[in-house]
Amino acid sequence: EGNGSTDGPFINLGFTPEWVVIRNQADGEWWWQLDSTRDPYGNLVTEVMYANANSVESGIGSSGGIDMLSNGFKVRGTNTGMNGSGQIMFYMAFAEFPFKYANAR
């Protein structure tokens, strides 16, 4: 659930995300796709791609972004599409190193 603040919610994933998709469940909102390839320094990720827009990619600008952390991500954006106050968000996250700790035999 969003809080509409630049000190947004922390999502504990248990892994470092490489790619995160966030979408407000409200109709008409965009699909925010953020990754550590376009912003390789981890914090503050502000380069975004929109899956349902004509633009290829863009910068979020003053409305924030996300911090990609060792165990999840923290929303720093105030835009309603990624952190609307009291609104339910959908997210997907994919690990940077998904098999780093696997015990394959």
Side-chain angles (χ1 to χ4, degrees):
E1 183 174 320
N3 65 9
S5 169
T6 56
D7 186 21
F10 166 71
I11 310 302
N12 187 348
L13 302 169
F15 59 83
T16 303
E18 170 76 20
W19 181 51
V20 176
V21 179
I22 303 171
R23 183 180 188 273
N24 188 327
Q25 292 295 307
D27 288 337
E29 291 293 346
W30 294 354
W31 291 82
W32 298 70
Q33 300 178 84
L34 301 111
D35 63 74
S36 61
T37 302
R38 286 174 218 332
D39 274 336
Y41 305 108
N43 300 328
L44 179 67
V45 176
T46 60
E47 292 298 314
V48 65
M49 294 185 304
Y50 301 106
N52 58 327
N54 292 333
S55 61
V56 178
E57 63 184 84
S58 123
I60 295 173
S62 63
S63 64
I66 65 171
D67 289 338
M68 291 196 181
L69 307 169
S70 63
N71 60 343
F73 66 94
K74 180 158 181 72
V75 179
R76 298 285 185 188
T78 58
N79 189 295
T80 58
M82 68 183 334
N83 191 20
S85 181
Q87 298 180 2
I88 303 299
M89 305 296 150
F90 163 83
Y91 72 88
M92 294 185 292
F94 297 88
E96 185 173 58
F97 300 109
F99 302 110
K100 183 175 181 180
Y101 300 105
N103 293 323
R105 297 179 190 225

Coordinates of all heavy atoms in Angstrom, one line a residue, residues 22-95:
I22 N 6.3 -1.7 -11.0 CA 5.3 -1.3 -10.0 C 4.1 -0.7 -10.8 O 4.3 0.0 -11.8 CB 5.9 -0.2 -9.1 CG1 7.1 -0.7 -8.4 CG2 4.9 0.3 -8.1 CD1 7.9 0.4 -7.6
R23 N 2.9 -1.0 -10.3 CA 1.7 -0.4 -10.9 C 0.7 -0.2 -9.8 O 0.4 -1.1 -9.1 CB 1.2 -1.3 -12.0 CG 0.0 -0.7 -12.7 CD -0.6 -1.6 -13.8 NE -1.6 -0.9 -14.5 CZ -2.9 -0.9 -14.2 NH1 -3.3 -1.5 -13.1 NH2 -3.8 -0.3 -15.0
N24 N 0.1 0.9 -9.9 CA -1.1 1.2 -9.0 C -2.3 0.4 -9.6 O -2.5 0.4 -10.8 CB -1.4 2.7 -9.0 CG -2.4 3.1 -8.0 OD1 -3.3 2.4 -7.8 ND2 -2.3 4.3 -7.5
Q25 N -3.0 -0.2 -8.7 CA -4.2 -1.0 -9.2 C -5.3 -0.2 -9.8 O -6.2 -0.7 -10.4 CB -4.7 -1.9 -8.0 CG -3.7 -2.9 -7.6 CD -3.5 -3.9 -8.7 OE1 -4.4 -4.5 -9.3 NE2 -2.2 -4.2 -9.0
A26 N -5.2 1.2 -9.6 CA -6.3 2.0 -10.1 C -6.2 2.0 -11.6 O -5.2 1.9 -12.2 CB -6.1 3.5 -9.6
D27 N -7.4 2.2 -12.3 CA -7.4 2.2 -13.7 C -6.7 3.4 -14.3 O -6.7 4.5 -13.7 CB -8.9 2.3 -14.2 CG -9.6 1.0 -14.0 OD1 -8.9 0.0 -13.9 OD2 -10.9 1.0 -13.9
G28 N -6.1 3.3 -15.4 CA -5.4 4.4 -16.1 C -4.0 4.7 -15.6 O -3.4 5.6 -16.1
E29 N -3.5 3.9 -14.7 CA -2.1 4.2 -14.2 C -1.1 3.4 -15.1 O -1.4 2.4 -15.7 CB -1.9 3.7 -12.7 CG -2.7 4.6 -11.8 CD -2.2 6.0 -11.7 OE1 -1.0 6.3 -12.2 OE2 -2.9 6.9 -11.1
W30 N 0.1 3.9 -15.1 CA 1.2 3.3 -15.9 C 1.9 2.1 -15.2 O 1.8 2.0 -14.0 CB 2.3 4.3 -16.2 CG 1.8 5.5 -17.1 CD1 0.6 5.6 -17.7 CD2 2.5 6.6 -17.5 NE1 0.5 6.7 -18.4 CE2 1.7 7.4 -18.3 CE3 3.8 7.1 -17.2 CZ2 2.1 8.6 -18.8 CZ3 4.2 8.3 -17.7 CH2 3.3 9.0 -18.5
W31 N 2.6 1.3 -16.0 CA 3.4 0.3 -15.5 C 4.8 0.9 -15.4 O 5.5 1.2 -16.4 CB 3.4 -0.9 -16.4 CG 2.2 -1.7 -16.4 CD1 1.0 -1.3 -17.2 CD2 1.8 -2.8 -15.7 NE1 0.1 -2.3 -16.9 CE2 0.5 -3.2 -16.1 CE3 2.5 -3.7 -14.8 CZ2 -0.1 -4.3 -15.6 CZ3 1.9 -4.8 -14.3 CH2 0.6 -5.1 -14.7
W32 N 5.4 1.0 -14.2 CA 6.7 1.6 -14.0 C 7.7 0.5 -13.9 O 7.7 -0.4 -13.1 CB 6.7 2.3 -12.6 CG 5.8 3.5 -12.5 CD1 4.4 3.4 -12.4 CD2 6.1 4.9 -12.5 NE1 3.9 4.7 -12.3 CE2 4.9 5.6 -12.4 CE3 7.3 5.6 -12.5 CZ2 4.9 7.0 -12.3 CZ3 7.3 6.9 -12.4 CH2 6.1 7.6 -12.3
Q33 N 8.7 0.5 -14.9 CA 9.7 -0.5 -14.9 C 11.0 0.1 -14.7 O 11.5 1.0 -15.4 CB 9.7 -1.2 -16.3 CG 8.4 -1.9 -16.7 CD 8.5 -2.5 -18.0 OE1 9.0 -3.6 -18.2 NE2 8.0 -1.8 -19.0
L34 N 11.7 -0.3 -13.6 CA 13.0 0.3 -13.2 C 14.0 -0.8 -13.0 O 13.7 -1.9 -12.6 CB 12.8 1.0 -11.8 CG 11.8 2.1 -11.8 CD1 10.6 1.8 -11.0 CD2 12.3 3.4 -11.4
D35 N 15.2 -0.5 -13.4 CA 16.2 -1.6 -13.4 C 17.6 -1.0 -13.0 O 17.8 0.2 -13.1 CB 16.3 -2.4 -14.7 CG 16.7 -1.5 -15.8 OD1 17.9 -1.2 -15.9 OD2 15.8 -1.2 -16.7
S36 N 18.5 -1.8 -12.6 CA 19.8 -1.4 -12.2 C 20.8 -1.3 -13.4 O 21.9 -0.8 -13.2 CB 20.4 -2.3 -11.2 OG 20.5 -3.6 -11.7
T37 N 20.3 -1.6 -14.6 CA 21.2 -1.4 -15.8 C 21.2 0.0 -16.2 O 22.2 0.5 -16.6 CB 20.7 -2.3 -16.9 OG1 20.7 -3.7 -16.5 CG2 21.5 -2.2 -18.2
R38 N 20.0 0.7 -16.3 CA 20.0 2.1 -16.7 C 20.5 3.0 -15.6 O 21.0 4.1 -15.9 CB 18.5 2.4 -17.0 CG 18.1 1.9 -18.3 CD 16.7 2.1 -18.6 NE 15.9 1.1 -19.2 CZ 16.4 0.2 -20.1 NH1 17.6 0.1 -20.4 NH2 15.6 -0.7 -20.6
D39 N 20.3 2.6 -14.3 CA 20.9 3.4 -13.2 C 21.8 2.4 -12.4 O 21.3 1.8 -11.4 CB 19.8 3.9 -12.3 CG 19.2 5.2 -12.8 OD1 20.0 6.0 -13.5 OD2 18.1 5.6 -12.4
P40 N 23.0 2.2 -12.8 CA 23.8 1.1 -12.2 C 24.3 1.4 -10.8 O 24.9 0.5 -10.2 CB 25.0 1.0 -13.2 CG 25.1 2.4 -13.8 CD 23.7 2.9 -13.9
Y41 N 24.0 2.6 -10.3 CA 24.6 2.9 -8.9 C 23.7 2.5 -7.8 O 24.0 2.7 -6.7 CB 25.0 4.4 -8.9 CG 25.9 4.7 -10.0 CD1 25.5 5.5 -11.1 CD2 27.2 4.2 -10.0 CE1 26.4 5.7 -12.1 CE2 28.1 4.5 -11.0 CZ 27.7 5.2 -12.1 OH 28.5 5.5 -13.1
G42 N 22.5 2.0 -8.1 CA 21.6 1.4 -7.1 C 20.6 2.4 -6.4 O 19.5 2.1 -6.3
N43 N 21.1 3.5 -6.0 CA 20.2 4.5 -5.2 C 20.4 5.8 -5.8 O 21.5 6.3 -5.9 CB 20.5 4.5 -3.8 CG 20.4 3.1 -3.2 OD1 19.5 2.3 -3.6 ND2 21.2 2.8 -2.2
L44 N 19.6 6.5 -6.2 CA 18.2 6.5 -6.4 C 18.0 6.1 -7.9 O 18.5 6.8 -8.8 CB 17.7 7.9 -6.1 CG 16.2 8.2 -6.3 CD1 15.3 7.4 -5.3 CD2 16.0 9.7 -6.1
V45 N 17.2 5.1 -8.2 CA 17.0 4.7 -9.5 C 15.8 5.5 -10.1 O 14.7 5.5 -9.5 CB 16.6 3.2 -9.6 CG1 16.2 2.8 -11.0 CG2 17.7 2.3 -9.1
T46 N 16.1 6.3 -11.1 CA 15.1 7.2 -11.6 C 14.8 7.1 -13.1 O 13.9 7.7 -13.6 CB 15.5 8.7 -11.4 OG1 16.7 8.9 -12.0 CG2 15.6 9.0 -9.9
E47 N 15.6 6.2 -13.8 CA 15.3 6.0 -15.2 C 14.2 4.9 -15.3 O 14.3 3.9 -14.7 CB 16.5 5.5 -15.9 CG 17.6 6.5 -16.1 CD 17.2 7.7 -16.9 OE1 16.6 7.6 -17.9 OE2 17.4 8.9 -16.4
V48 N 13.2 5.2 -16.0 CA 12.0 4.3 -16.1 C 11.6 4.0 -17.5 O 11.8 4.8 -18.4 CB 10.9 4.9 -15.2 CG1 10.4 6.2 -15.9 CG2 9.7 4.0 -15.0
M49 N 11.0 2.8 -17.7 CA 10.4 2.5 -18.9 C 8.9 2.2 -18.6 O 8.6 1.6 -17.6 CB 11.0 1.2 -19.5 CG 12.4 1.4 -20.0 SD 13.1 -0.1 -20.8 CE 12.9 -1.3 -19.6
Y50 N 8.0 2.6 -19.5 CA 6.6 2.4 -19.3 C 6.1 1.4 -20.3 O 6.2 1.6 -21.5 CB 5.8 3.7 -19.5 CG 6.3 4.8 -18.5 CD1 7.1 5.9 -19.0 CD2 5.9 4.7 -17.2 CE1 7.5 6.8 -18.1 CE2 6.3 5.7 -16.3 CZ 7.1 6.8 -16.8 OH 7.5 7.8 -15.9
A51 N 5.6 0.3 -19.8 CA 5.1 -0.8 -20.7 C 3.9 -0.4 -21.5 O 3.7 -0.9 -22.6 CB 4.8 -2.1 -19.9
N52 N 3.1 0.5 -21.0 CA 1.9 0.9 -21.7 C 1.9 2.3 -22.2 O 0.8 2.9 -22.3 CB 0.7 0.7 -20.7 CG 0.8 1.5 -19.5 OD1 1.9 1.7 -19.0 ND2 -0.3 1.9 -18.9
A53 N 3.1 2.8 -22.6 CA 3.2 4.1 -23.1 C 4.0 4.1 -24.4 O 4.7 3.2 -24.7 CB 3.8 5.1 -22.1
N54 N 3.8 5.1 -25.2 CA 4.5 5.2 -26.5 C 6.0 5.6 -26.3 O 6.8 5.3 -27.2 CB 3.9 6.2 -27.4 CG 2.5 5.8 -27.9 OD1 2.2 4.6 -28.0 ND2 1.6 6.7 -28.2
S55 N 6.3 6.2 -25.2 CA 7.7 6.6 -25.0 C 8.6 5.4 -24.6 O 8.1 4.5 -24.0 CB 7.8 7.6 -23.8 OG 7.3 7.1 -22.7
V56 N 9.8 5.4 -25.1 CA 10.6 4.2 -24.9 C 11.1 4.2 -23.4 O 10.9 3.2 -22.7 CB 11.9 4.3 -25.8 CG1 12.8 3.1 -25.5 CG2 11.4 4.2 -27.3
E57 N 11.7 5.3 -23.0 CA 12.1 5.4 -21.6 C 12.3 6.9 -21.3 O 12.3 7.7 -22.1 CB 13.4 4.7 -21.3 CG 14.6 5.2 -22.1 CD 15.9 4.4 -21.8 OE1 16.0 3.4 -22.5 OE2 16.7 4.8 -20.9
S58 N 12.3 7.2 -20.0 CA 12.4 8.5 -19.5 C 12.9 8.6 -18.1 O 12.9 7.6 -17.4 CB 11.0 9.2 -19.7 OG 10.4 9.7 -18.6
G59 N 13.2 9.8 -17.6 CA 13.6 10.0 -16.2 C 12.3 10.4 -15.4 O 11.5 11.1 -15.9
I60 N 12.3 9.9 -14.2 CA 11.1 10.2 -13.4 C 11.1 11.7 -13.0 O 10.1 12.3 -12.9 CB 11.1 9.3 -12.1 CG1 10.9 7.9 -12.5 CG2 10.0 9.8 -11.1 CD1 11.0 6.9 -11.4
G61 N 12.3 12.3 -12.8 CA 12.4 13.7 -12.4 C 12.2 13.9 -10.9 O 12.6 13.0 -10.1
S62 N 11.5 15.0 -10.6 CA 11.4 15.3 -9.2 C 10.4 14.5 -8.4 O 10.3 14.6 -7.2 CB 11.0 16.8 -9.1 OG 9.7 17.0 -9.7
S63 N 9.7 13.6 -9.0 CA 8.7 12.8 -8.3 C 9.3 11.5 -7.7 O 8.6 10.7 -7.2 CB 7.5 12.5 -9.2 OG 7.9 11.7 -10.3
G64 N 10.6 11.4 -7.7 CA 11.3 10.3 -7.0 C 11.8 9.2 -7.8 O 12.4 9.4 -8.8
G65 N 11.7 8.0 -7.2 CA 12.2 6.8 -7.8 C 12.2 5.7 -6.8 O 11.4 5.7 -5.9
I66 N 13.2 4.7 -6.9 CA 13.3 3.7 -5.8 C 14.8 3.5 -5.5 O 15.6 3.8 -6.3 CB 12.7 2.4 -6.3 CG1 13.4 1.7 -7.5 CG2 11.2 2.5 -6.6 CD1 13.0 0.3 -7.8
D67 N 15.0 3.0 -4.3 CA 16.3 2.6 -3.9 C 16.3 1.1 -4.0 O 15.5 0.4 -3.5 CB 16.6 2.9 -2.4 CG 16.8 4.4 -2.2 OD1 17.2 5.1 -3.2 OD2 16.7 4.9 -1.1
M68 N 17.3 0.5 -4.7 CA 17.5 -0.9 -4.8 C 18.5 -1.3 -3.8 O 19.6 -0.9 -3.8 CB 17.9 -1.4 -6.2 CG 16.8 -1.2 -7.2 SD 17.2 -2.1 -8.7 CE 15.8 -1.6 -9.7
L69 N 18.0 -2.1 -2.8 CA 18.8 -2.5 -1.7 C 19.2 -4.0 -1.7 O 18.8 -4.7 -2.5 CB 18.0 -2.2 -0.4 CG 17.5 -0.7 -0.4 CD1 16.5 -0.6 0.8 CD2 18.7 0.2 -0.2
S70 N 20.1 -4.4 -0.8 CA 20.5 -5.8 -0.7 C 19.4 -6.8 -0.5 O 19.6 -8.0 -0.8 CB 21.6 -5.9 0.3 OG 21.1 -5.7 1.6
N71 N 18.3 -6.4 0.2 CA 17.3 -7.3 0.5 C 15.9 -6.9 0.0 O 14.9 -7.4 0.5 CB 17.2 -7.5 2.0 CG 17.0 -6.3 2.8 OD1 17.2 -5.2 2.3 ND2 16.6 -6.4 4.0
G72 N 15.9 -5.9 -0.9 CA 14.6 -5.5 -1.5 C 14.7 -4.1 -2.1 O 15.7 -3.7 -2.6
F73 N 13.6 -3.3 -2.0 CA 13.6 -2.0 -2.6 C 12.8 -1.0 -1.7 O 11.8 -1.5 -1.0 CB 13.2 -1.9 -4.0 CG 11.7 -2.3 -4.3 CD1 10.8 -1.3 -4.4 CD2 11.4 -3.6 -4.5 CE1 9.4 -1.7 -4.7 CE2 10.1 -4.0 -4.8 CZ 9.1 -3.0 -4.8
K74 N 13.1 0.2 -1.7 CA 12.3 1.3 -1.0 C 11.9 2.3 -2.0 O 12.6 2.8 -2.8 CB 13.2 1.9 0.0 CG 12.4 3.0 0.8 CD 13.1 3.2 2.2 CE 12.3 4.3 3.0 NZ 11.1 3.8 3.5
V75 N 10.6 2.6 -2.0 CA 10.0 3.6 -2.9 C 10.3 4.9 -2.3 O 10.0 5.2 -1.2 CB 8.4 3.3 -3.0 CG1 7.8 4.4 -3.9 CG2 8.2 1.9 -3.5
R76 N 10.8 5.8 -3.2 CA 11.1 7.2 -2.9 C 10.3 8.1 -3.7 O 10.5 9.3 -3.6 CB 12.6 7.5 -3.1 CG 13.5 6.7 -2.3 CD 13.5 7.2 -0.9 NE 14.5 6.4 -0.1 CZ 14.6 6.5 1.2 NH1 13.8 7.3 1.9 NH2 15.5 5.8 1.9
G77 N 9.4 7.6 -4.5 CA 8.6 8.4 -5.4 C 7.2 8.8 -4.8 O 6.6 8.1 -4.0
T78 N 6.8 10.0 -5.1 CA 5.5 10.5 -4.6 C 4.4 10.4 -5.7 O 3.2 10.7 -5.4 CB 5.6 12.0 -4.2 OG1 6.1 12.7 -5.3 CG2 6.6 12.1 -3.0
N79 N 4.8 10.0 -6.9 CA 3.8 9.8 -8.0 C 2.8 8.8 -7.6 O 3.1 7.7 -7.1 CB 4.5 9.5 -9.2 CG 3.6 9.5 -10.4 OD1 2.7 8.8 -10.5 ND2 3.9 10.4 -11.3
T80 N 1.5 9.1 -7.9 CA 0.4 8.1 -7.5 C 0.6 6.8 -8.3 O 0.0 5.8 -7.8 CB -1.0 8.7 -7.8 OG1 -1.1 9.1 -9.2 CG2 -1.2 9.9 -6.9
G81 N 1.2 6.8 -9.4 CA 1.4 5.5 -10.1 C 2.3 4.5 -9.4 O 2.2 3.3 -9.6
M82 N 3.2 5.0 -8.6 CA 4.0 4.1 -7.8 C 3.9 4.2 -6.3 O 4.4 3.3 -5.6 CB 5.5 4.3 -8.2 CG 6.1 5.6 -7.8 SD 7.8 5.9 -8.3 CE 8.5 4.3 -8.6
N83 N 3.2 5.2 -5.8 CA 3.1 5.3 -4.4 C 1.9 6.2 -4.0 O 2.1 7.1 -3.1 CB 4.4 5.9 -3.8 CG 4.5 5.9 -2.3 OD1 3.8 5.1 -1.7 ND2 5.4 6.7 -1.8
G84 N 0.8 6.0 -4.5 CA -0.4 6.7 -4.2 C -0.8 6.5 -2.7 O -0.9 5.3 -2.3
S85 N -1.1 7.5 -2.0 CA -1.5 7.4 -0.6 C -2.7 6.5 -0.4 O -3.8 6.8 -1.0 CB -1.7 8.7 0.0 OG -2.0 8.6 1.4
G86 N -2.6 5.4 0.4 CA -3.7 4.5 0.7 C -4.1 3.7 -0.5 O -5.1 2.9 -0.4
Q87 N -3.4 3.7 -1.6 CA -3.7 2.9 -2.8 C -2.9 1.6 -2.8 O -1.7 1.6 -2.4 CB -3.6 3.7 -4.0 CG -4.5 4.9 -4.0 CD -4.3 5.8 -5.3 OE1 -3.6 5.5 -6.2 NE2 -5.1 6.9 -5.3
I88 N -3.5 0.6 -3.3 CA -2.8 -0.7 -3.4 C -2.0 -0.8 -4.7 O -2.4 -0.4 -5.8 CB -3.9 -1.9 -3.5 CG1 -4.8 -1.8 -2.2 CG2 -3.2 -3.2 -3.6 CD1 -4.1 -2.0 -0.9
M89 N -0.7 -1.2 -4.5 CA 0.2 -1.3 -5.6 C 0.5 -2.8 -5.9 O 0.5 -3.7 -5.1 CB 1.5 -0.7 -5.3 CG 1.5 0.7 -4.8 SD 0.9 1.8 -6.1 CE 0.1 3.1 -5.2
F90 N 0.7 -3.1 -7.2 CA 1.1 -4.4 -7.7 C 2.6 -4.3 -8.0 O 3.0 -3.2 -8.5 CB 0.3 -4.7 -8.9 CG 0.9 -5.8 -9.7 CD1 0.7 -7.2 -9.4 CD2 1.7 -5.6 -10.8 CE1 1.2 -8.2 -10.1 CE2 2.3 -6.6 -11.6 CZ 2.0 -7.9 -11.2
Y91 N 3.4 -5.2 -7.6 CA 4.8 -5.2 -8.0 C 5.3 -6.6 -8.4 O 4.8 -7.6 -8.0 CB 5.7 -4.6 -6.9 CG 5.9 -5.5 -5.7 CD1 6.9 -6.4 -5.7 CD2 5.0 -5.4 -4.6 CE1 7.1 -7.2 -4.6 CE2 5.2 -6.2 -3.5 CZ 6.2 -7.1 -3.5 OH 6.4 -7.9 -2.4
M92 N 6.4 -6.6 -9.2 CA 7.1 -7.8 -9.6 C 8.6 -7.4 -9.4 O 9.0 -6.3 -9.7 CB 6.9 -8.2 -11.0 CG 5.5 -8.7 -11.4 SD 5.4 -9.3 -13.1 CE 5.7 -7.8 -14.0
A93 N 9.4 -8.3 -9.0 CA 10.8 -8.1 -8.8 C 11.6 -9.3 -9.2 O 11.2 -10.4 -8.9 CB 11.2 -7.7 -7.4
F94 N 12.7 -9.1 -9.9 CA 13.5 -10.2 -10.4 C 14.9 -10.0 -9.8 O 15.5 -8.9 -9.8 CB 13.6 -10.3 -11.9 CG 12.2 -10.6 -12.5 CD1 11.3 -9.5 -12.8 CD2 11.8 -11.9 -12.7 CE1 10.1 -9.8 -13.3 CE2 10.5 -12.1 -13.2 CZ 9.7 -11.1 -13.5
A95 N 15.6 -11.1 -9.3 CA 16.8 -11.0 -8.6 C 18.0 -10.7 -9.5 O 18.1 -11.1 -10.7 CB 17.1 -12.3 -7.9

